[in-house]
């Protein structure tokens, strides 16, 4: 039940930006948040403190819209975060504890890309996004602007995390352990940045930290959680006075050491100098530190004496969808370029086509049937179809890997970011497939004889089969990437895919296989992609090796079209459900499990 008295003590000046009332969260039969109630106002820096397990992360993830609450009311910038749209998302910035995403990107490149999503949400009052060069300078990364992100030190990476969180000039910024890993100089610079955001730009900031000195320096107000309950809410000074009651004033007078306890040390010192003037020496005023206050409050709460909560009064004209699609297209091109300038990825692009060309070259004299068709000639279009179908696996692996490293969560935290992310993945995977097919096809046309690429009809057939095949397979890959939450789980996909390749007529005519295997192969896209490619590149005489001695174009369109419809219907549903489950804590849990496996 809500506590009306506690709400009556919340500060009442300024525009309310964050309003939490009676928040409860339950996992199964366990309550982890109990009647959590507090507010934050425009330009205020609110620090959330509490021991591990106190409910800080759960509270923040609910406010960020990353987790659904069990009960209570939450308003963030006037909107329930559970129903926040992309315009609302553009007004909120998020900096989680740690990210490992976009390692191949350069700092300026990534900030420019992410900033593009915010341009259509610019207003006369708030111009979005932050200029990339100015932002890089603000977080102290100018000397590293062209450096790849995976090459950054821990402290430099943390500065980048903060830059990404504020690239859209948020009205409310969530900072989870923002200075972890920063050296003292970088920490001071970050504190200056926070003061600038809150003071000059009137950004409301909610941060968590275990550094109590930092909380005391930055926070206008402090909310302390323990056991899922708010046990204190007020400024550091107010909380200290609540616990300690009085300040200790020490001084010397006529060589004598004096001590006095008072609730108003400022007034006492004023009266002291008024009465004794320069005779007062070695003046010291000692207030209870935030650390002492925090430990006392948490100790009281954990021992039951603090069960009763202690409260102290104290745009743009661009279309967002179009913007996201453009940003996604740019993202895809950037990642495609990266894949051809990175040694490991470049090797992956070249290894498989080279291996297949070698196999086809050494089978160029092996003939099949009375027609004398060469096995290498049969294999080339079949392998092209297989490669196109393997885009499904590539898409699945990318989504799984980037779900683990936080890239998907980054997209979720960006307005229309999931749309842009998926467009980018489609562009990257499709572009990579086209490049791989070109690497395979161009030399294959030279070294493999017996192909029938005589006119535009062959190239047109090749094009429609390839486009329809990618539409049929890439959404399915996105579904599989959403279902499997770890790279280990991806291994479960590999065996059945390899089995389908073996029975789909890629390396040997399907008509030579048992009929029941032929029926299995015909239920999946790999066979039909290979058949479509063979119809485009092989002479008419090769059709005798196919089922029914026909290229079956109508059936090819039907089966690939059915898979395309299935994937396009299922992919948005599965991806939305997957995205709703993503949060900073879920990414951290998967990272911890991965580290345990490695260890």
């Amino acid at each position: 039940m809500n506590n009306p008295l506690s709400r009556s003590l919340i500060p009442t000046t300024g525009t309310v930006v964050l309003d939490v009332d009676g928040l409860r969260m339950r996992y199964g039969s366990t309550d982890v948040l109990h009647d959590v109630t507090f507010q934050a106002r425009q330009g205020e820096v609110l620090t959330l403190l509490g021991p591990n397990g106190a409910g800080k992360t759960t509270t923040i993830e609910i406010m960020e819209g990353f987790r659904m609450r069990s009960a209570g009311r939450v308003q963030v910038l006037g909107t329930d975060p559970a129903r926040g749209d992309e315009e609302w998302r553009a007004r909120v910035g998020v900096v989680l504890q740690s990210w490992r995403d976009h390692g191949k990107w350069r700092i300026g490149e990534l900030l420019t890309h992410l900033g593009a999503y915010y341009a259509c949400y610019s207003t006369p009052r708030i111009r979005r996004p932050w200029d990339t060069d100015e932002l890089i300078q603000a977080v102290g990364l100018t000397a590293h602007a062209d450096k790849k992100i995976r090459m950054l030190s821990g402290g430099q990476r943390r500065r980048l995390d903060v830059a990404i969180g504020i690239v859209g000039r948020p009205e409310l910024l969530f900072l989870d352990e923002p200075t972890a890993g920063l050296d003292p100089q970088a920490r001071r610079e970050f504190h200056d940045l926070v003061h600038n955001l809150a003071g000059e730009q009137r950004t409301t900031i909610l941060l968590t930290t275990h550094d109590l000195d930092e909380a005391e320096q930055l926070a206008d107000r402090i909310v302390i959680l323990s056991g899922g309950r708010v046990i204190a809410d007020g400024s550091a000074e107010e909380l200290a006075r609540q616990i300690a009651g009085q300040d200790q004033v020490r001084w010397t007078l006529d060589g004598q050491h004096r001590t006095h306890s008072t609730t108003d040390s400022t007034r006492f010192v004023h009266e002291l100098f008024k009465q004794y003037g320069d005779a007062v020496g070695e003046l010291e005023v000692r207030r209870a530190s935030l650390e002492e206050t925090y430990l006392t409050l948490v100790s009281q709460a954990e021992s039951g004496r603090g069960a009763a909560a202690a409260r102290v009064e104290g745009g743009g004209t661009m279309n967002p969808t179009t913007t996201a699609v453009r940003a996604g297209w740019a993202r895809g091109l950037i990642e495609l370029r990266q894949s051809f300038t990175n040694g490991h990825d470049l090797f992956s692009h070249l290894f498989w086509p080279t291996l297949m060309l070698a196999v086809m070259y050494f089978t160029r004299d092996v003939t099949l049937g009375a027609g004398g068709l060469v096995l290498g000639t049969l294999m080339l279009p079949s392998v092209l179809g297989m490669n196109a179908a393997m885009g499904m696996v590539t898409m699945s692996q990318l989504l799984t890997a980037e779900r683990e490293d936080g890239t998907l969560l980054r997209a979720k935290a960006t307005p229309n970011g999931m749309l842009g992310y998926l467009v980018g993945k489609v562009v990257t995977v499709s572009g990579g497939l086209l490049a791989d097919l070109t690497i395979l096809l161009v030399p294959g046309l030279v070294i493999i004889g017996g192909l029938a690429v005589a006119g535009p009809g062959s190239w047109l057939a090749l094009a429609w089969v390839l486009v329809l095949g990618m539409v049929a397979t890439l959404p399915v890959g996105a579904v599989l990437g959403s279902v499997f939450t770890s790279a280990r789980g991806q291994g479960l996909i590999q065996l059945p895919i390899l089995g389908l390749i073996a029975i789909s007529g890629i390396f040997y005519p399907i008509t030579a296989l048992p009929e029941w295997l032929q029926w299995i192969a015909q239920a999946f896209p790999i066979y039909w992609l290979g058949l479509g490619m063979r119809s485009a590149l092989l002479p008419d005489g090769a059709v005798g090796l196919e089922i029914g001695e026909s290229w079956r174009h109508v059936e090819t369109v039907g089966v690939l079209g059915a898979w395309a419809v299935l994937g396009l219907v299922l992919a948005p549903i599965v991806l939305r459900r997957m995205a709703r489950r993503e949060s900073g804590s879920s990414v951290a849990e998967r990272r911890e499990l991965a580290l345990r496996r490695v260890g």
Side-chain angles (χ1 to χ4, degrees):
M1 182 179 296
N2 294 351
N3 184 349
L5 177 61
S6 66
R7 290 195 61 78
S8 68
L9 294 175
I10 294 175
T12 57
T13 59
T15 303
V16 175
V17 171
L18 182 62
D19 189 6
V20 180
D21 186 10
L23 175 60
R24 300 180 70 88
M25 187 66 194
R26 168 173 289 191
Y27 295 116
S29 59
T30 304
D31 288 323
V32 295
L33 294 178
H34 310 265
D35 193 25
V36 172
T37 300
F38 61 87
Q39 287 184 340
R41 298 180 178 274
Q42 185 179 20
E44 186 175 29
V45 179
L46 179 66
T47 298
L48 201 59
L49 296 179
N52 291 332
K56 302 188 302 298
T57 297
T58 299
T59 301
I60 287 183
E61 289 180 350
I62 289 172
M63 292 185 290
E64 291 168 339
F66 291 166
R67 191 179 294 276
M68 299 296 291
R69 63 188 181 275
S70 300
R73 184 174 64 85
V74 179
Q75 293 285 304
V76 176
L77 296 169
T79 299
D80 183 344
R83 299 179 176 84
D85 57 13
E86 302 303 328
E87 184 175 0
W88 172 83
R89 174 63 63 192
R91 302 169 63 196
V92 176
V94 176
V95 178
L96 300 182
Q97 288 188 21
S98 62
W99 302 89
R100 297 182 298 149
D101 57 307
H102 296 93
K104 298 176 183 177
W105 291 62
R106 300 183 189 277
I107 291 177
E109 188 177 59
L110 180 59
L111 291 175
T112 299
H113 166 71
L114 294 176
Y117 288 94
Y118 294 88
C120 57
Y121 299 104
S122 186
T123 67
R125 187 174 68 88
I126 303 176
R127 306 302 299 175
R128 297 185 172 100
W130 199 316
D131 178 78
T132 300
D133 292 336
E134 292 180 4
L135 179 57
I136 291 174
Q137 182 179 9
V139 297
L141 289 174
T142 300
H144 309 283
D146 293 325
K147 185 181 289 186
K148 287 188 176 180
I149 292 171
R150 68 167 179 261
M151 305 302 294
L152 299 179
S153 67
Q156 291 166 350
R157 176 70 212 227
R158 203 65 190 130
R159 297 189 198 192
L160 175 61
D161 292 339
V162 174
I164 293 173
I166 63 177
V167 66
R169 294 190 184 274
E171 297 166 51
L172 172 63
L173 179 61
F174 294 101
L175 298 170
D176 198 359
E177 298 287 341
T179 59
L182 295 187
D183 58 53
Q185 177 63 31
R187 190 182 299 259
R188 280 195 297 271
E189 292 173 355
F190 172 77
H191 291 175
D192 292 339
L193 178 61
V194 169
H195 288 308
N196 175 267
L197 289 170
E200 296 185 16
Q201 303 192 35
R202 303 297 293 159
T203 303
T204 304
I205 298 173
L206 176 65
L207 67 89
T208 67
T209 181
H210 288 292
D211 187 334
L212 298 178
D213 289 336
E214 178 173 80
E216 195 163 12
Q217 291 181 46
L218 293 179
D220 298 311
R221 279 180 40 247
I222 296 169
V223 173
I224 300 178
L225 283 174
S226 180
R229 291 181 169 86
V230 175
I231 61 171
D233 183 351
S235 68
E237 184 177 345
E238 290 167 337
L239 295 181
R241 182 161 292 127
Q242 172 192 343
I243 298 303
Q246 295 181 328
D247 299 334
Q248 296 291 319
V249 182
R250 300 176 182 177
W251 75 100
T252 59
L253 184 64
D254 298 330
Q256 298 287 324
H257 289 276
R258 308 289 181 92
T259 301
H260 180 76
S261 298
T262 176
T263 58
D264 189 349
S265 56
T266 301
R267 182 175 180 179
F268 178 81
V269 170
H270 176 76
E271 294 295 331
L272 187 65
F273 276 100
K274 184 178 180 180
Q275 182 174 356
Y276 296 107
D278 294 340
V280 177
E282 300 181 21
L283 178 66
E284 178 185 356
V285 178
R286 186 180 183 278
R287 295 184 173 91
S289 69
L290 178 59
E291 181 177 3
E292 293 170 332
T293 304
Y294 169 78
L295 293 175
T296 299
L297 287 168
V298 171
S299 176
Q300 289 178 354
E302 291 178 347
S303 64
R305 292 193 299 273
R311 286 195 177 272
V312 184
E313 185 170 1
T317 60
M318 299 171 64
N319 180 278
T321 301
T322 302
T323 299
V325 170
R326 288 177 178 172
W329 177 266
R331 176 192 185 92
L333 294 179
I334 290 171
E335 293 187 334
L336 185 61
R337 185 199 71 216
Q338 291 170 351
S339 72
F340 283 95
T341 55
N342 174 273
H344 179 271
D345 291 339
L346 185 58
F347 176 80
S348 299
H349 281 296
L350 296 175
F351 175 75
W352 181 254
T354 303
L355 179 63
M356 288 297 97
L357 285 170
V359 172
M360 286 182 275
Y361 179 77
F362 288 112
T363 58
R364 69 189 185 282
D365 296 326
V366 179
T367 58
L368 299 169
L373 184 67
V374 175
L375 180 58
T377 304
L378 175 68
M379 285 176 57
L380 177 59
S382 300
V383 170
L384 291 175
M386 179 191 69
N387 273 13
M390 290 299 287
M392 169 176 59
V393 177
T394 303
M395 176 69 83
S396 176
Q397 291 173 337
L398 284 173
L399 261 69
T400 298
E402 294 185 348
R403 189 176 178 186
E404 278 197 326
D405 70 17
T407 301
L408 275 174
L409 183 58
R410 178 83 73 192
K412 181 181 176 182
T414 304
N416 299 296
M418 285 300 296
L419 173 60
Y421 173 82
L422 289 174
V423 170
K425 289 298 117 181
V426 169
V427 171
T428 301
V429 175
S430 300
L433 285 176
L434 291 174
D436 292 348
L437 295 180
T438 302
I439 295 170
L440 185 61
L441 179 59
V442 172
L445 292 174
V446 175
I447 66 175
I448 305 297
L451 297 172
V453 188
S458 297
W459 295 107
L460 183 61
L462 193 70
W464 73 255
V465 171
L466 180 59
V467 171
L468 184 57
M470 287 194 293
V471 175
T473 54
L474 293 185
V476 175
V479 171
L480 294 174
S482 301
V483 171
F484 292 93
T485 60
S486 69
R488 275 183 87 182
Q490 281 291 326
L492 299 175
I493 302 176
Q494 302 299 323
L495 287 178
I497 293 292
L498 292 174
L500 287 173
I501 290 173
I503 65 173
S504 293
I506 303 299
F507 299 105
Y508 205 75
I510 192 172
T511 50
L513 300 175
E515 187 174 352
W516 65 273
L517 282 178
Q518 295 179 29
W519 281 107
I520 293 175
Q522 292 176 79
F524 295 93
I526 296 176
Y527 164 74
W528 296 98
L529 271 162
L531 178 63
M533 295 290 185
R534 291 192 293 275
S535 74
L537 298 178
L538 294 182
D540 291 338
V543 75
L545 296 173
E546 301 296 342
I547 296 173
E549 297 187 358
S550 169
W551 294 125
R552 299 196 291 171
H553 284 153
V554 174
E555 291 90 336
T556 300
V557 172
V559 175
L560 291 179
W563 276 95
V565 171
L566 179 66
L568 292 172
V569 169
L570 286 180
I573 298 172
V574 176
L575 285 167
R576 279 196 297 268
R577 290 184 177 178
M578 179 271 294
R580 281 199 295 267
R581 295 193 296 269
E582 286 300 288
S583 65
S585 56
S586 63
V587 172
E589 288 170 7
R590 287 195 295 270
R591 183 169 63 249
E592 182 66 25
L593 287 174
L595 290 173
R596 289 176 185 172
R597 289 196 296 267
V598 173

